[in-house]
Amino acid sequence: SLGGCSYPFSRELTLSWEQTLTLADRALYLAKAGGRNRWVALFEGAISEPERFYAQATDDLAAVLESGQLMQFDSVTAPVLRQTRSAS
């Protein structure tokens, strides 16, 4: 399982690398909750209250995801890229 997010997390929201690592850790737990061999990445969404975002994200991640303040990409819902083989 793998969880991640970008650093710096946002151009408009200043999070320390420790805070960003905490968000990546939350993403890891989302991946683990979904089953084996999964990945989850969290990205900035439409953050409505930047001064409260981190506290909200660490307190109730599901609500922050539902509100669109965070976007989640994962191995289940991400589009699958398939490599085509040429006939020999």
Side-chain angles (χ1 to χ4, degrees), residues 39-80:
W39 58 265
V40 171
L42 299 176
F43 295 94
E44 175 187 16
I47 298 174
S48 58
E49 297 179 77
E51 61 281 348
R52 296 188 55 211
F53 168 78
Y54 181 74
Q56 291 173 336
T58 55
D59 184 48
D60 191 356
L61 185 60
V64 173
L65 285 165
E66 188 175 310
S67 71
Q69 295 185 75
L70 271 177
M71 296 185 302
Q72 174 182 328
F73 295 91
D74 59 64
S75 55
V76 174
T77 60
V80 177

